[in-house]
Amino acid sequence: MPTLSEVAQLAGVTAATVSNVLRHRGRVGAETRQRVLDAVKTLGYRPHLAARALAEGRAPTIALMVSSIDNPFYPEFALAVERAARESGHFVIVCNTNEDPATGRAYLDQIAGTLSEGVLVTNANLDFADLHKTEARGAPVVLCMWERPQEPPGLHCVAVDFRRAGELAGAHLVELGHRRIGAIVGSKVSGIHAARYAGFVDALHAAGLDAPAARLRQAPDSVQGGYAAARELLEADPGITAIFASNDLPALGALHAAADLGREVPRDLSVTGITDIKPAREARPALTTVAVRTAEAAELAVGLLRDLLAAAPDYEGAARTAPRVLVVPEPRLVVRGSTGVAPMRE
Amino acid sequence: MPTLSEVAQLAGVTAATVSNVLRHRGRVGAETRQRVLDAVKTLGYRPHLAARALAEGRAPTIALMVSSIDNPFYPEFALAVERAARESGHFVIVCNTNEDPATGRAYLDQIAGTLSEGVLVTNANLDFADLHKTEARGAPVVLCMWERPQEPPGLHCVAVDFRRAGELAGAHLVELGHRRIGAIVGSKVSGIHAARYAGFVDALHAAGLDAPAARLRQAPDSVQGGYAAARELLEADPGITAIFASNDLPALGALHAAADLGREVPRDLSVTGITDIKPAREARPALTTVAVRTAEAAELAVGLLRDLLAAAPDYEGAARTAPRVLVVPEPRLVVRGSTGVAPMRE
DNA sequence: ATGAAAGCGCTAACAC
DNA sequence: GTGTTAGCGCTTTCAT
């Protein structure tokens, strides 16, 4: 692979000039510029990104920490991140923590600040202490999809009003006449989704309904998890006419459980999710859910990271600003086939 | 961030020694080693990967080119790639081409050989010419999930016997007594899946059946694509009792089409896919499909890339070996709920 | 408008 | 065993 100085030699100039031409820096004579450009072309020169990273003191990559791309949400998010990152010339290194803090720490220790200039974190079960350490070392960290805008995490973040999302789903079910509504929320490991449930409960309260613990189940963030929880709920209390799930995957599982229990959706049972991942649109019936603007969240996160990077090139010490919180525009209800008016009381 | 020489200074040695300690190279006195290790710890030193990459002439990353992580296959594959890559100390940069050759080219031009030392390519609709150019520049390329082991692409690759996969699916349907079987294969853009269809046809022929063009449809590799194609097939010829889809996503779409047309699966209609992606296991009924060993393919691909890298550090010119073809162990039929014995003729 | 020179943080010969 | 010396390919002041 040709180097800068080879190009320089061919063009009869010095490496500095070639660099200037390529980076549109400094003033270069029109004719010289042309010679350089020609040399670049004939040699097929391409800048060596690692060398540039070293010289500039910053690598053109960002690390995206995810818990497991096994969950369809992450690829969707990653896609949006990559698109946004590319606009600022960044490549995305995907780091799968598998929900294991040690793996996450290993990733952070290795690349943050040395091979990637910033870090984006989705719910990857990382130690906040590790994230702070990473920041302290000079690599900005942005938390994505933070659940509680009102309760900043002490790190830069992009937050989604998930309480509101839960409220929208709850209100929708209430409006349809449902009175006995089961709820499935995340488990300890998949994130408890307290804000989402709180919003749901708010909606019930607003309608004078209560949300007894007997109608609440925790489940992993998966189809299977939701399936099991929904079965439990429905078997324990056949009077339940609707299920609120704090995430789409478990909601999809609830759909399956309903089918297996001989309950037709939405005639006998309504189901709602939160997020609006692709499989929600493809389910039968398609899932009514509260859409979270994933792509916008990704763009905000990348933008925030870029701001932080620009504000403080080495980002050390006092240059660090107070944690910033960006809120993703309000989630919105998407009514599809999985919800309908509550069946008549008998 | 502390540097090598800061560590060296603190330990009262020179940078070279610290490097040796850290890389377990050369002979270093036990006591010195300890002093160095202490210094590393107190300073919280971490090697600067970009600097190391420059000095070593190779970056610790590989690029994974995918068409769009929108399709659940890619995340599953990417996950396996990342796992395997980590074992050889590589990070994975995900490059989404969106099926656009120009985007792919831009990615290759930028990172191959400069920020990533090798490239893994899934069906990303890249120009082979671009891939060859990349190889010529010194960055090995491995094609993943090549469709026809018998027909090497002129590049290193990991191949899957998809013809065999099609044959397994076809034979399964034939055995169940199906005689009029519709087929849905990939479209031009999503890959035509000729080998898979050929295998399917072989299975029919082996049973003395034919596969008329009237029972063949092309569709994009998506649920919607499969849905539309299946509807067409079923409406054009209601006598069809089974559908062979060359991929899981369209097969899932066929399941939906059956439901909409009032045909119960598997009683009135059987459906098969190929790959065994996660949504296939989660569908209702679960999809009968031919499982392709995705994780193994990923491991083989990463292993092959590593071999190529080891064989020829700069990988230029004559060092390049003849294209190697690794075949993923035979695909296997996974019978689930979407297939059953053919309905009686009336 | 262009060149000279220093240096980013690390590795790798080779010398002592 | 440990230090010295060159770079890796690029960017970036600072002269000219």
Side-chain angles (χ1 to χ4, degrees):
Chain A
M1 286 207 338
T3 71
L4 243 207
S5 35
E6 288 171 7
V7 173
Q9 202 175 341
L10 179 59
V13 296
T14 185
T17 301
V18 178
S19 177
N20 280 333
V21 169
L22 262 28
R23 333 200 65 224
H24 313 283
R25 290 277 170 76
R27 303 137 283 281
V28 182
E31 192 226 351
T32 314
R33 138 171 281 107
Q34 195 50 53
R35 275 212 321 283
V36 167
L37 259 19
D38 289 348
V40 163
K41 176 159 272 180
T42 67
L43 254 31
Y45 168 81
R46 300 170 313 135
H48 192 296
L49 265 28
R52 178 177 283 180
L54 180 57
E56 286 187 325
R58 58 206 216 76
T61 67
I62 64 180
L64 174 63
M65 314 283 297
V66 301
S67 67
S68 145
I69 31 187
D70 201 45
N71 182 321
F73 168 77
Y74 296 108
E76 291 183 25
F77 189 75
L79 179 62
V81 165
E82 196 233 17
R83 237 194 263 293
R86 243 180 105 62
E87 282 180 20
S88 44
H90 285 91
F91 298 93
V92 176
I93 294 183
V94 174
C95 307
N96 233 286
T97 67
N98 266 308
E99 317 245 359
D100 174 27
T103 305
R105 184 176 314 127
Y107 259 124
L108 290 173
D109 281 350
Q110 284 195 83
I111 57 173
T114 75
L115 195 61
S116 82
E117 58 167 343
V119 180
L120 251 36
V121 178
T122 62
N123 181 11
N125 196 25
L126 290 151
D127 252 331
F128 269 39
D130 291 330
L131 293 175
H132 277 117
K133 224 172 282 168
T134 301
E135 285 240 289
R137 275 196 309 248
V141 171
V142 172
L143 242 47
C144 305
M145 310 296 284
W146 179 249
E147 301 255 330
R148 299 175 299 280
Q150 309 80 4
E151 237 178 274
L155 285 164
H156 304 289
C157 73
V158 168
V160 170
D161 192 348
F162 275 112
R163 198 210 58 81
R164 178 72 180 137
E167 188 176 35
L168 286 170
H172 173 60
L173 292 174
V174 167
E175 263 169 39
L176 289 170
H178 295 281
R179 293 294 171 266
R180 290 177 92 80
I181 308 177
I184 300 175
V185 302
S187 59
K188 199 75 114 280
V189 52
S190 70
I192 205 73
H193 296 169
R196 310 181 189 198
Y197 182 64
F200 164 73
V201 171
D202 285 351
L204 296 206
H205 286 171
L209 302 172
D210 64 336
R215 291 206 280 272
L216 174 63
R217 289 292 182 286
Q218 285 189 194
D221 188 19
S222 65
V223 172
Q224 287 76 11
Y227 176 87
R231 275 199 85 122
E232 266 189 52
L233 239 21
L234 258 15
E235 282 166 352
D237 180 355
I240 286 177
T241 65
I243 290 182
F244 160 88
S246 66
N247 232 353
D248 284 349
L249 243 24
L252 260 16
L255 250 27
H256 293 172
D260 279 4
L261 293 172
R263 301 186 62 156
E264 195 181 305
V265 175
R267 201 194 56 197
D268 309 325
L269 184 77
S270 287
V271 176
T272 64
I274 288 181
T275 309
D276 197 20
I277 57 178
K278 197 167 183 207
R281 303 193 273 283
E282 293 171 345
R284 311 286 293 192
L287 187 69
T288 291
T289 187
V290 179
V292 161
R293 300 164 196 263
T294 307
E296 280 179 55
E299 284 155 23
L300 285 175
V302 172
L304 177 50
L305 194 54
R306 184 174 23 206
D307 283 0
L308 296 169
L309 257 10
D314 351 315
Y315 199 72
E316 304 206 43
R320 218 152 49 241
T321 63
R324 289 178 55 188
V325 178
L326 259 40
V327 180
V328 179
E330 168 134 331
R332 67 180 197 291
L333 180 71
V334 179
V335 180
R336 300 211 182 87
S338 71
T339 49
V341 295
M344 292 295 142
R345 304 260 186 129
E346 31 209 289
Chain B
M1 288 207 335
T3 70
L4 244 207
S5 36
E6 288 170 8
V7 173
Q9 203 175 339
L10 179 58
V13 295
T14 185
T17 302
V18 178
S19 178
N20 279 334
V21 169
L22 262 27
R23 334 197 66 229
H24 311 284
R25 290 275 171 76
R27 301 137 287 280
V28 182
E31 193 226 351
T32 314
R33 135 172 284 108
Q34 195 50 53
R35 275 213 319 284
V36 168
L37 259 19
D38 289 348
V40 163
K41 175 159 273 179
T42 67
L43 255 31
Y45 168 80
R46 300 171 314 134
H48 193 295
L49 265 27
R52 178 177 283 181
L54 179 58
E56 286 188 325
R58 59 206 215 75
T61 67
I62 64 180
L64 174 63
M65 314 282 297
V66 301
S67 66
S68 146
I69 31 186
D70 201 46
N71 180 321
F73 168 77
Y74 295 108
E76 292 184 25
F77 190 75
L79 179 63
V81 165
E82 195 233 16
R83 237 193 262 293
R86 243 179 105 62
E87 283 180 17
S88 44
H90 285 91
F91 299 93
V92 176
I93 294 183
V94 174
C95 307
N96 234 287
T97 66
N98 266 308
E99 317 246 357
D100 173 27
T103 304
R105 184 176 314 126
Y107 259 124
L108 290 172
D109 281 351
Q110 284 195 82
I111 57 172
T114 75
L115 194 62
S116 82
E117 58 167 343
V119 180
L120 250 37
V121 179
T122 62
N123 181 11
N125 197 25
L126 290 151
D127 251 330
F128 270 37
D130 292 329
L131 293 174
H132 277 117
K133 225 173 281 167
T134 300
E135 285 240 290
R137 275 196 309 247
V141 171
V142 172
L143 241 48
C144 306
M145 310 297 284
W146 178 250
E147 301 255 329
R148 300 175 298 281
Q150 309 79 6
E151 239 177 274
L155 284 163
H156 303 291
C157 73
V158 168
V160 171
D161 192 348
F162 276 112
R163 197 209 60 80
R164 177 72 179 137
E167 187 176 35
L168 285 170
H172 173 60
L173 292 173
V174 167
E175 264 169 37
L176 289 169
H178 295 281
R179 294 295 171 264
R180 291 177 91 81
I181 308 177
I184 300 174
V185 303
S187 59
K188 199 76 114 275
V189 53
S190 69
I192 206 73
H193 295 169
R196 309 182 189 198
Y197 183 65
F200 165 73
V201 171
D202 286 351
L204 296 206
H205 285 170
L209 302 172
D210 64 336
R215 291 206 279 272
L216 174 63
R217 289 292 182 284
Q218 287 189 190
D221 188 19
S222 66
V223 172
Q224 287 74 13
Y227 177 87
R231 275 200 85 122
E232 266 188 52
L233 239 21
L234 259 14
E235 282 166 354
D237 181 354
I240 286 177
T241 64
I243 289 183
F244 160 87
S246 67
N247 233 352
D248 283 349
L249 243 25
L252 260 17
L255 251 27
H256 293 171
D260 280 4
L261 294 173
R263 301 187 60 158
E264 195 183 307
V265 175
R267 199 194 57 195
D268 308 325
L269 184 78
S270 287
V271 176
T272 64
I274 289 180
T275 307
D276 197 20
I277 57 179
K278 198 167 182 204
R281 303 193 272 283
E282 292 171 347
R284 312 288 293 189
L287 187 70
T288 291
T289 187
V290 179
V292 162
R293 300 163 197 264
T294 306
E296 280 180 53
E299 284 156 24
L300 285 175
V302 172
L304 177 49
L305 194 54
R306 185 174 22 204
D307 283 1
L308 296 170
L309 257 10
D314 340 319
Y315 199 73
E316 303 206 45
R320 218 150 52 240
T321 63
R324 290 177 55 188
V325 178
L326 258 43
V327 180
V328 179
E330 168 134 331
R332 67 180 198 292
L333 180 72
V334 179
V335 179
R336 299 212 182 88
S338 71
T339 48
V341 295
M344 290 297 141
R345 304 258 187 130
E346 32 209 284

